[in-house]
Coordinates of all heavy atoms in Angstrom, one line a residue:
M178 N 27.9 -3.1 36.0 CA 27.9 -3.7 34.7 C 27.1 -2.9 33.7 O 27.1 -3.2 32.6 CB 27.3 -5.1 34.9 CG 28.2 -6.2 35.3 SD 27.6 -7.7 34.5 CE 28.7 -8.7 35.2
G179 N 26.3 -2.0 34.1 CA 25.5 -1.3 33.1 C 24.1 -1.8 33.1 O 23.7 -2.8 33.7
E180 N 23.2 -1.1 32.5 CA 21.8 -1.5 32.4 C 21.5 -2.6 31.4 O 22.2 -2.7 30.4 CB 21.0 -0.3 32.1 CG 21.0 0.8 33.1 CD 20.1 1.9 32.8 OE1 19.1 1.7 32.2 OE2 20.5 3.1 33.1
P181 N 20.5 -3.5 31.7 CA 20.3 -4.6 30.8 C 19.7 -4.0 29.5 O 18.9 -3.0 29.5 CB 19.2 -5.4 31.5 CG 18.8 -4.7 32.6 CD 19.7 -3.6 32.9
K182 N 20.0 -4.6 28.4 CA 19.5 -4.1 27.1 C 18.1 -4.6 26.8 O 17.8 -5.8 27.1 CB 20.4 -4.5 26.0 CG 21.8 -4.0 26.2 CD 22.3 -3.5 24.9 CE 23.7 -2.9 25.2 NZ 24.1 -1.9 24.4
N183 N 17.3 -3.8 26.3 CA 15.9 -4.2 25.9 C 15.9 -4.8 24.5 O 16.5 -4.1 23.6 CB 15.0 -3.0 26.0 CG 13.6 -3.4 25.8 OD1 13.3 -4.5 25.3 ND2 12.7 -2.4 26.0
N184 N 15.5 -5.9 24.2 CA 15.5 -6.5 22.9 C 14.4 -6.1 22.0 O 14.3 -6.6 20.9 CB 15.6 -8.0 23.0 CG 16.8 -8.6 23.6 OD1 17.9 -7.9 23.4 ND2 16.8 -9.7 24.2
V185 N 13.4 -5.3 22.5 CA 12.3 -4.8 21.8 C 12.7 -3.7 20.9 O 13.2 -2.7 21.3 CB 11.2 -4.4 22.7 CG1 10.0 -3.9 21.9 CG2 10.7 -5.6 23.6
R186 N 12.5 -3.8 19.6 CA 12.7 -2.8 18.6 C 11.6 -1.7 18.6 O 10.5 -2.0 18.7 CB 12.9 -3.3 17.2 CG 14.1 -4.2 17.0 CD 14.3 -4.6 15.6 NE 13.2 -5.1 15.0 CZ 13.0 -5.4 13.7 NH1 13.9 -5.1 12.9 NH2 11.9 -6.0 13.3
E187 N 12.0 -0.5 18.6 CA 11.0 0.6 18.5 C 10.5 0.7 17.1 O 11.3 0.8 16.2 CB 11.6 1.9 19.0 CG 10.6 3.0 19.0 CD 11.2 4.3 19.6 OE1 12.2 4.2 20.3 OE2 10.7 5.3 19.2
F188 N 9.2 0.8 16.9 CA 8.6 0.9 15.5 C 8.3 2.4 15.3 O 7.6 3.0 16.1 CB 7.4 0.1 15.3 CG 6.7 0.3 14.0 CD1 7.2 -0.2 12.9 CD2 5.6 1.1 14.0 CE1 6.6 0.0 11.7 CE2 4.9 1.3 12.7 CZ 5.5 0.8 11.6
R189 N 8.8 3.0 14.3 CA 8.4 4.3 13.9 C 7.9 4.3 12.5 O 8.6 3.9 11.5 CB 9.7 5.2 13.9 CG 10.2 5.5 15.3 CD 11.3 6.5 15.3 NE 11.8 6.6 16.7 CZ 12.9 7.1 17.0 NH1 13.7 7.7 16.1 NH2 13.3 7.2 18.2
A190 N 6.6 4.6 12.3 CA 6.0 4.6 11.0 C 6.5 5.7 10.2 O 6.7 6.8 10.6 CB 4.5 4.8 11.2
P191 N 6.9 5.3 8.9 CA 7.4 6.4 8.1 C 6.3 7.4 7.7 O 5.1 7.0 7.6 CB 7.9 5.6 6.8 CG 7.1 4.3 6.8 CD 6.8 4.1 8.3
K192 N 6.7 8.6 7.4 CA 5.7 9.6 6.9 C 5.5 9.3 5.4 O 6.3 9.0 4.7 CB 6.3 11.0 7.0 CG 6.5 11.5 8.4 CD 6.9 12.9 8.5 CE 7.1 13.3 9.9 NZ 7.5 14.7 10.0
P193 N 4.2 9.2 5.1 CA 3.8 8.9 3.7 C 4.4 9.9 2.7 O 4.4 11.1 3.0 CB 2.3 8.8 3.6 CG 1.8 9.2 5.0 CD 3.0 9.5 5.9
K194 N 4.8 9.4 1.5 CA 5.2 10.3 0.5 C 4.0 10.9 -0.2 O 3.0 10.2 -0.5 CB 6.0 9.5 -0.5 CG 7.3 8.9 0.0 CD 7.9 8.0 -1.1 CE 9.1 7.3 -0.4 NZ 9.5 6.2 -1.3
P195 N 4.0 12.2 -0.5 CA 2.9 12.8 -1.3 C 2.9 12.1 -2.7 O 3.8 11.8 -3.3 CB 3.2 14.3 -1.3 CG 4.7 14.4 -1.1 CD 5.1 13.2 -0.3
R196 N 1.7 12.0 -3.2 CA 1.5 11.4 -4.5 C 0.9 12.4 -5.5 O -0.2 13.0 -5.2 CB 0.6 10.2 -4.3 CG 0.4 9.4 -5.6 CD -0.3 8.2 -5.4 NE -0.5 7.7 -6.7 CZ -0.5 6.4 -7.0 NH1 -0.3 5.5 -6.1 NH2 -0.7 6.0 -8.2
N197 N 1.5 12.5 -6.6 CA 1.0 13.5 -7.6 C -0.2 12.8 -8.4 O -1.2 13.5 -8.8 CB 2.1 13.9 -8.6 CG 3.2 14.6 -7.9 OD1 2.9 15.3 -6.9 ND2 4.4 14.6 -8.4
D198 N 0.0 11.5 -8.7 CA -1.0 10.9 -9.5 C -2.1 10.2 -8.6 O -1.8 9.1 -8.0 CB -0.4 9.8 -10.4 CG -1.4 9.0 -11.2 OD1 -2.6 9.4 -11.3 OD2 -1.0 8.0 -11.8
M199 N -3.2 10.8 -8.4 CA -4.2 10.2 -7.4 C -5.3 9.4 -8.1 O -6.3 9.2 -7.6 CB -4.8 11.3 -6.6 CG -3.8 12.0 -5.7 SD -3.0 10.9 -4.6 CE -4.3 10.5 -3.4
R200 N -5.0 8.9 -9.3 CA -6.0 7.9 -9.9 C -6.1 6.7 -9.1 O -5.1 6.1 -8.6 CB -5.5 7.6 -11.3 CG -5.5 8.7 -12.3 CD -5.1 8.4 -13.7 NE -5.2 6.9 -14.0 CZ -4.2 6.2 -14.6 NH1 -3.1 6.9 -15.0 NH2 -4.4 5.0 -14.9
I201 N -7.3 6.3 -8.9 CA -7.7 5.1 -8.1 C -7.1 3.9 -8.8 O -6.6 2.9 -8.1 CB -9.2 5.0 -7.9 CG1 -9.6 6.1 -6.9 CG2 -9.5 3.7 -7.3 CD1 -11.1 6.1 -6.7
D202 N -7.1 3.8 -10.1 CA -6.6 2.6 -10.8 C -5.2 2.5 -10.9 O -4.6 1.4 -11.4 CB -7.4 2.5 -12.1 CG -7.0 3.6 -13.1 OD1 -6.6 4.7 -12.6 OD2 -7.2 3.4 -14.3
A203 N -4.4 3.5 -10.6 CA -2.9 3.4 -10.6 C -2.4 2.7 -9.4 O -2.7 3.1 -8.3 CB -2.4 4.8 -10.8
P204 N -1.5 1.7 -9.6 CA -0.9 1.0 -8.5 C -0.1 1.9 -7.7 O 0.5 2.9 -8.2 CB 0.0 0.0 -9.1 CG -0.5 -0.2 -10.5 CD -1.1 1.1 -10.9
Q205 N 0.0 1.6 -6.4 CA 0.8 2.5 -5.5 C 2.0 1.7 -5.0 O 2.0 0.5 -5.2 CB 0.0 3.0 -4.3 CG -1.2 3.9 -4.8 CD -1.9 4.5 -3.5 OE1 -3.0 4.1 -3.2 NE2 -1.2 5.4 -2.8
I206 N 3.0 2.3 -4.4 CA 4.2 1.6 -3.9 C 4.4 1.9 -2.5 O 3.9 2.9 -2.0 CB 5.4 1.9 -4.8 CG1 5.7 3.4 -4.7 CG2 5.3 1.4 -6.2 CD1 7.1 3.8 -5.3
S207 N 5.2 1.1 -1.9 CA 5.6 1.3 -0.5 C 6.0 2.7 -0.1 O 6.7 3.3 -1.0 CB 6.8 0.4 -0.1 OG 6.4 -1.0 -0.4
G208 N 5.6 3.2 1.0 CA 5.9 4.6 1.4 C 4.9 5.6 1.0 O 4.9 6.7 1.5
E209 N 4.0 5.3 0.1 CA 3.0 6.2 -0.3 C 1.8 6.0 0.7 O 1.6 5.0 1.2 CB 2.5 6.0 -1.7 CG 3.5 6.3 -2.8 CD 3.1 6.0 -4.2 OE1 2.0 5.4 -4.4 OE2 3.7 6.5 -5.1
A210 N 0.9 7.1 0.8 CA -0.3 7.0 1.6 C -1.3 6.4 0.6 O -1.4 6.8 -0.5 CB -0.7 8.4 2.0
A211 N -2.1 5.5 1.2 CA -3.2 4.9 0.4 C -4.2 6.0 -0.1 O -4.6 6.8 0.7 CB -4.0 3.9 1.3
A212 N -4.5 6.0 -1.4 CA -5.3 7.0 -1.9 C -6.8 6.8 -1.5 O -7.5 7.8 -1.4 CB -5.2 7.0 -3.5
V213 N -7.2 5.6 -1.4 CA -8.6 5.2 -0.9 C -8.5 4.1 0.0 O -7.6 3.3 0.0 CB -9.5 4.9 -2.1 CG1 -9.7 6.1 -3.0 CG2 -9.0 3.7 -2.8
S214 N -9.6 4.0 0.8 CA -9.7 2.8 1.7 C -10.1 1.7 0.8 O -10.9 1.8 -0.1 CB -10.8 3.1 2.8 OG -10.4 4.0 3.7
G215 N -9.5 0.5 1.0 CA -9.8 -0.7 0.2 C -8.9 -1.9 0.4 O -8.1 -1.9 1.3
I216 N -9.2 -2.8 -0.4 CA -8.4 -4.1 -0.4 C -7.3 -3.9 -1.5 O -7.7 -3.7 -2.7 CB -9.3 -5.3 -0.7 CG1 -10.4 -5.4 0.4 CG2 -8.4 -6.6 -0.7 CD1 -11.5 -6.4 0.1
Y217 N -6.1 -4.1 -1.1 CA -5.0 -3.9 -2.0 C -4.3 -5.3 -2.1 O -4.1 -6.0 -1.2 CB -3.9 -2.9 -1.5 CG -4.4 -1.5 -1.6 CD1 -5.2 -1.0 -0.6 CD2 -4.1 -0.7 -2.6 CE1 -5.7 0.4 -0.7 CE2 -4.5 0.6 -2.7 CZ -5.3 1.1 -1.7 OH -5.7 2.5 -1.8
R218 N -3.9 -5.6 -3.4 CA -3.1 -6.8 -3.7 C -1.6 -6.5 -3.5 O -1.2 -5.4 -3.8 CB -3.3 -7.4 -5.1 CG -2.7 -8.7 -5.4 CD -3.0 -9.3 -6.7 NE -2.6 -8.4 -7.8 CZ -3.5 -7.8 -8.6 NH1 -4.8 -7.9 -8.4 NH2 -3.0 -7.0 -9.6
L219 N -0.8 -7.4 -2.9 CA 0.6 -7.2 -2.7 C 1.4 -7.8 -3.8 O 1.2 -9.1 -3.9 CB 1.0 -7.7 -1.3 CG 0.6 -6.9 -0.1 CD1 -0.9 -6.9 0.2 CD2 1.3 -7.4 1.1
E220 N 2.1 -7.1 -4.6 CA 3.0 -7.7 -5.6 C 4.4 -7.3 -5.2 O 4.8 -6.2 -5.1 CB 2.6 -7.0 -6.9 CG 1.2 -7.3 -7.4 CD 0.9 -6.7 -8.7 OE1 1.6 -5.8 -9.2 OE2 -0.2 -7.0 -9.2
H221 N 5.2 -8.5 -5.0 CA 6.5 -8.3 -4.5 C 7.4 -9.4 -5.2 O 7.1 -10.5 -5.4 CB 6.5 -8.6 -3.0 CG 7.8 -8.5 -2.3 ND1 8.7 -7.5 -2.6 CD2 8.4 -9.4 -1.4 CE1 9.8 -7.7 -1.8 NE2 9.6 -8.9 -1.1
A222 N 8.6 -8.9 -5.6 CA 9.5 -9.8 -6.3 C 10.4 -10.7 -5.4 O 11.1 -11.6 -5.9 CB 10.5 -9.0 -7.2
G223 N 10.3 -10.6 -4.1 CA 11.0 -11.4 -3.2 C 10.7 -12.9 -3.3 O 9.6 -13.3 -3.8
K224 N 11.7 -13.7 -2.9 CA 11.4 -15.2 -3.0 C 11.0 -15.7 -1.7 O 11.2 -16.9 -1.5 CB 12.8 -15.8 -3.4 CG 13.3 -15.3 -4.8 CD 14.2 -16.3 -5.4 CE 14.8 -15.7 -6.7 NZ 14.1 -15.8 -7.8
H225 N 10.3 -15.0 -0.9 CA 9.8 -15.5 0.3 C 8.2 -15.2 0.3 O 7.8 -14.3 -0.4 CB 10.4 -14.8 1.5 CG 10.6 -13.3 1.4 ND1 11.7 -12.7 0.8 CD2 9.7 -12.3 1.7 CE1 11.5 -11.4 0.8 NE2 10.3 -11.2 1.3
P226 N 7.5 -16.0 1.1 CA 6.0 -15.8 1.0 C 5.6 -14.5 1.8 O 6.2 -14.2 2.8 CB 5.5 -17.0 1.8 CG 6.6 -17.5 2.6 CD 7.9 -17.1 1.9
I227 N 4.6 -13.9 1.2 CA 4.0 -12.7 1.9 C 2.5 -12.9 1.7 O 2.0 -13.7 0.8 CB 4.4 -11.3 1.4 CG1 4.1 -11.2 -0.1 CG2 5.9 -11.1 1.6 CD1 4.3 -9.8 -0.6
Q228 N 1.7 -12.2 2.5 CA 0.2 -12.3 2.3 C -0.1 -11.7 1.0 O 0.6 -10.9 0.4 CB -0.5 -11.6 3.5 CG -0.3 -10.0 3.5 CD -0.9 -9.5 4.8 OE1 -0.4 -9.7 5.8 NE2 -1.9 -8.7 4.6
E229 N -1.3 -12.1 0.5 CA -1.7 -11.8 -0.9 C -2.5 -10.5 -1.0 O -2.3 -9.7 -1.9 CB -2.5 -12.9 -1.5 CG -1.8 -14.1 -1.7 CD -2.6 -15.3 -2.2 OE1 -3.7 -15.0 -2.7 OE2 -2.1 -16.4 -2.2
E230 N -3.3 -10.2 0.1 CA -4.1 -9.0 0.1 C -4.0 -8.3 1.5 O -3.7 -9.0 2.5 CB -5.5 -9.3 -0.3 CG -5.6 -9.7 -1.7 CD -7.1 -10.0 -2.2 OE1 -8.0 -10.2 -1.3 OE2 -7.4 -10.0 -3.3
L231 N -4.4 -7.0 1.4 CA -4.3 -6.2 2.7 C -5.4 -5.2 2.7 O -5.6 -4.5 1.7 CB -2.9 -5.5 2.8 CG -2.5 -4.7 4.0 CD1 -2.4 -5.6 5.2 CD2 -1.2 -4.0 3.8
L232 N -6.1 -5.1 3.8 CA -7.1 -4.1 3.9 C -6.5 -2.8 4.5 O -5.8 -2.9 5.6 CB -8.3 -4.5 4.9 CG -9.4 -3.6 5.1 CD1 -10.1 -3.2 3.9 CD2 -10.4 -4.2 6.1
V233 N -6.6 -1.7 3.8 CA -5.9 -0.4 4.2 C -6.9 0.7 4.2 O -7.7 0.9 3.3 CB -4.7 -0.1 3.2 CG1 -4.0 1.1 3.6 CG2 -3.8 -1.3 3.1
Q234 N -6.8 1.5 5.3 CA -7.6 2.8 5.3 C -6.9 3.9 4.6 O -5.7 3.9 4.6 CB -7.7 3.2 6.8 CG -9.0 3.0 7.4 CD -9.1 3.5 8.8 OE1 -8.2 3.4 9.6 NE2 -10.3 4.1 9.1
K235 N -7.7 4.8 4.0 CA -7.2 5.9 3.3 C -6.2 6.7 4.1 O -6.5 7.0 5.3 CB -8.4 6.8 2.8 CG -8.0 8.0 2.1 CD -9.1 8.9 1.7 CE -8.7 10.1 1.0 NZ -9.9 10.9 0.5
G236 N -5.1 7.1 3.5 CA -4.1 7.9 4.2 C -3.1 7.2 5.0 O -2.1 7.7 5.4
I237 N -3.2 5.9 5.2 CA -2.2 5.0 5.9 C -1.1 4.8 5.0 O -1.2 4.5 3.8 CB -2.8 3.7 6.3 CG1 -4.0 3.8 7.3 CG2 -1.8 2.7 6.9 CD1 -3.6 4.5 8.6
C238 N 0.2 4.9 5.6 CA 1.4 4.7 4.8 C 1.5 3.2 4.4 O 1.5 2.3 5.3 CB 2.6 5.1 5.6 SG 4.1 5.0 4.7
L239 N 1.7 2.9 3.1 CA 1.8 1.5 2.6 C 3.2 1.0 3.0 O 4.2 1.6 2.6 CB 1.5 1.4 1.2 CG 0.0 1.8 0.7 CD1 0.0 2.0 -0.8 CD2 -1.0 0.8 1.2
P240 N 3.3 -0.1 3.7 CA 4.5 -0.6 4.1 C 5.4 -1.4 3.1 O 4.9 -1.9 2.1 CB 4.2 -1.6 5.3 CG 2.9 -2.1 4.9 CD 2.1 -1.0 4.2
G241 N 6.7 -1.4 3.3 CA 7.6 -2.2 2.5 C 7.6 -3.7 3.1 O 6.9 -3.9 4.0
C242 N 8.4 -4.5 2.5 CA 8.5 -5.9 2.9 C 9.2 -5.9 4.3 O 10.3 -5.4 4.4 CB 9.2 -6.7 1.9 SG 9.4 -8.4 2.4
A243 N 8.6 -6.5 5.3 CA 9.1 -6.6 6.6 C 10.3 -7.6 6.7 O 11.1 -7.6 7.5 CB 8.1 -7.0 7.6
L244 N 10.4 -8.5 5.7 CA 11.4 -9.6 5.7 C 12.7 -9.0 5.0 O 13.8 -9.3 5.5 CB 10.9 -10.8 5.0 CG 9.8 -11.5 5.6 CD1 9.3 -12.7 4.8 CD2 10.2 -12.0 7.0
C245 N 12.5 -8.4 3.8 CA 13.8 -8.0 3.1 C 13.9 -6.5 2.9 O 15.0 -6.0 2.4 CB 13.8 -8.7 1.7 SG 12.6 -8.1 0.6
G246 N 12.9 -5.7 3.2 CA 13.0 -4.3 3.1 C 12.7 -3.7 1.7 O 12.7 -2.5 1.5
E247 N 12.5 -4.6 0.8 CA 12.3 -4.1 -0.6 C 10.8 -3.6 -0.8 O 10.0 -3.9 0.0 CB 12.5 -5.3 -1.6 CG 13.9 -5.8 -1.6 CD 14.8 -4.8 -2.2 OE1 14.5 -4.1 -3.2 OE2 15.9 -4.6 -1.6
P248 N 10.7 -2.7 -1.8 CA 9.3 -2.2 -2.0 C 8.3 -3.2 -2.4 O 8.7 -4.2 -3.0 CB 9.6 -1.1 -3.0 CG 10.8 -1.4 -3.7 CD 11.7 -2.2 -2.7
I249 N 7.1 -2.9 -2.2 CA 5.9 -3.7 -2.6 C 5.0 -2.8 -3.5 O 4.9 -1.6 -3.1 CB 5.1 -4.2 -1.4 CG1 6.0 -5.1 -0.6 CG2 3.9 -5.0 -1.8 CD1 5.4 -5.6 0.7
T250 N 4.5 -3.3 -4.5 CA 3.5 -2.6 -5.4 C 2.1 -3.0 -4.9 O 1.9 -4.1 -4.6 CB 3.7 -2.9 -6.8 OG1 5.0 -2.6 -7.2 CG2 2.7 -2.2 -7.7
Y251 N 1.2 -2.0 -4.8 CA -0.1 -2.2 -4.3 C -1.2 -1.8 -5.3 O -1.7 -0.7 -5.2 CB -0.3 -1.4 -3.0 CG 0.5 -1.8 -1.8 CD1 1.8 -1.3 -1.6 CD2 0.0 -2.7 -0.8 CE1 2.5 -1.7 -0.5 CE2 0.8 -3.1 0.2 CZ 2.0 -2.6 0.4 OH 2.7 -2.9 1.5
P252 N -1.6 -2.7 -6.2 CA -2.8 -2.4 -7.0 C -4.1 -2.5 -6.2 O -4.2 -3.4 -5.3 CB -2.8 -3.4 -8.1 CG -1.6 -4.3 -7.9 CD -1.0 -3.9 -6.6
L253 N -5.0 -1.6 -6.3 CA -6.3 -1.6 -5.6 C -7.2 -2.7 -6.2 O -7.4 -2.8 -7.4 CB -7.0 -0.3 -5.7 CG -8.3 -0.2 -5.0 CD1 -8.1 -0.3 -3.5 CD2 -9.0 1.2 -5.3
V254 N -7.7 -3.7 -5.4 CA -8.6 -4.7 -5.8 C -10.0 -4.3 -5.7 O -10.8 -4.4 -6.6 CB -8.3 -6.0 -4.9 CG1 -9.4 -7.1 -5.3 CG2 -6.9 -6.5 -5.0
Q255 N -10.3 -3.6 -4.6 CA -11.7 -3.1 -4.4 C -11.7 -2.0 -3.4 O -11.1 -2.1 -2.3 CB -12.6 -4.3 -3.9 CG -14.0 -3.8 -3.7 CD -14.9 -5.0 -3.1 OE1 -14.4 -6.1 -3.2 NE2 -16.1 -4.7 -2.8
A256 N -12.3 -0.9 -3.8 CA -12.4 0.3 -2.8 C -13.5 -0.1 -1.9 O -14.6 -0.7 -2.3 CB -12.8 1.5 -3.6
V257 N -13.4 0.3 -0.6 CA -14.4 0.0 0.4 C -14.7 1.3 1.2 O -13.8 2.1 1.4 CB -14.1 -1.1 1.4 CG1 -14.0 -2.4 0.7 CG2 -12.8 -0.8 2.1
K258 N -15.9 1.5 1.6 CA -16.2 2.6 2.4 C -16.0 2.3 3.9 O -16.4 1.4 4.4 CB -17.7 3.0 2.2 CG -18.1 4.3 2.9 CD -19.6 4.5 2.7 CE -19.8 5.6 1.6 NZ -21.2 6.0 1.5
P259 N -15.2 3.2 4.6 CA -15.0 2.9 6.0 C -16.3 2.9 6.7 O -17.2 3.7 6.5 CB -14.1 4.1 6.5 CG -13.5 4.7 5.2 CD -14.5 4.4 4.1
I260 N -16.4 2.1 7.8 CA -17.6 2.0 8.6 C -18.0 3.3 9.2 O -19.2 3.6 9.4 CB -17.5 0.9 9.6 CG1 -18.9 0.4 10.1 CG2 -16.6 1.2 10.7 CD1 -18.9 -0.9 10.8
S261 N -17.0 4.2 9.5 CA -17.3 5.4 10.1 C -18.1 6.4 9.2 O -18.6 7.3 9.6 CB -15.9 6.1 10.5 OG -15.1 6.4 9.4
E262 N -18.1 6.1 7.8 CA -18.8 6.9 6.9 C -20.1 6.3 6.6 O -21.0 6.8 5.9 CB -18.0 7.0 5.6 CG -16.7 7.8 5.8 CD -15.9 7.9 4.5 OE1 -16.5 7.5 3.4 OE2 -14.7 8.2 4.6
D263 N -20.5 5.1 7.2 CA -21.8 4.5 6.9 C -22.8 5.1 7.9 O -22.6 5.0 9.1 CB -21.7 2.9 7.1 CG -22.9 2.2 6.7 OD1 -24.0 2.7 6.9 OD2 -22.7 1.1 6.1
P264 N -23.9 5.6 7.3 CA -24.9 6.3 8.2 C -25.6 5.2 9.2 O -26.1 5.6 10.2 CB -26.0 6.8 7.3 CG -25.7 6.2 5.9 CD -24.2 5.7 5.9
D265 N -25.6 4.0 8.9 CA -26.2 3.0 9.8 C -25.4 2.8 11.1 O -25.8 2.2 12.0 CB -26.3 1.6 9.1 CG -27.3 1.7 7.9 OD1 -28.3 2.5 8.0 OD2 -27.2 0.9 7.0
F266 N -24.1 3.2 11.0 CA -23.2 3.0 12.2 C -22.8 4.3 12.9 O -21.9 4.3 13.7 CB -21.9 2.2 11.8 CG -22.2 0.8 11.4 CD1 -22.5 0.4 10.0 CD2 -22.3 -0.2 12.3 CE1 -22.8 -0.8 9.7 CE2 -22.5 -1.5 12.0 CZ -22.9 -1.8 10.7
R267 N -23.5 5.3 12.6 CA -23.3 6.6 13.3 C -24.0 6.7 14.6 O -25.0 6.2 14.9 CB -23.6 7.8 12.4 CG -22.6 7.9 11.2 CD -22.8 9.1 10.5 NE -21.8 9.1 9.4 CZ -21.9 9.9 8.4 NH1 -22.7 10.9 8.4 NH2 -20.9 9.9 7.5

């Protein structure tokens, strides 16, 4: 009969798009690498609920909407220093 199918989808993170404008105050969009570590607000035109804020480490690829696949805009709410850079935690 053949092998049973696995219903688990494989996740492959997209490679972040390089960004020319690295201003901290400029909103970023899905697919770009986070310019700084911080709390980002999620702005999305979809008619379904999504979380309002997301904590992201610098260099992580900002995701699109998991429900509809449309892009999300990410304005930075507050930059935060990663704990790995805090001398009290070294």
Side-chain angles (χ1 to χ4, degrees):
M178 278 211 181
E180 294 184 34
K182 300 223 179 207
N183 185 350
N184 289 333
V185 178
R186 293 188 305 170
E187 183 178 333
F188 176 75
R189 291 186 185 166
K192 291 184 180 180
K194 297 175 190 169
R196 184 172 171 144
N197 296 331
D198 178 14
M199 292 304 286
R200 290 182 21 225
I201 291 175
D202 60 339
Q205 295 188 254
I206 58 169
S207 304
E209 295 180 343
V213 296
S214 294
I216 300 169
Y217 289 83
R218 185 173 63 248
L219 283 68
E220 295 179 350
H221 179 47
K224 299 204 186 276
H225 46 270
I227 61 170
Q228 68 189 65
E229 295 178 14
E230 294 181 340
L231 183 66
L232 179 62
V233 181
Q234 253 184 321
K235 178 180 180 178
I237 298 295
C238 183
L239 297 168
C242 180
L244 296 173
C245 69
E247 293 296 314
I249 297 174
T250 303
Y251 293 87
L253 181 66
V254 174
Q255 180 178 353
V257 296
K258 185 183 257 187
I260 197 166
S261 61
E262 295 177 14
D263 189 319
D265 293 333
F266 291 92
R267 289 189 182 171

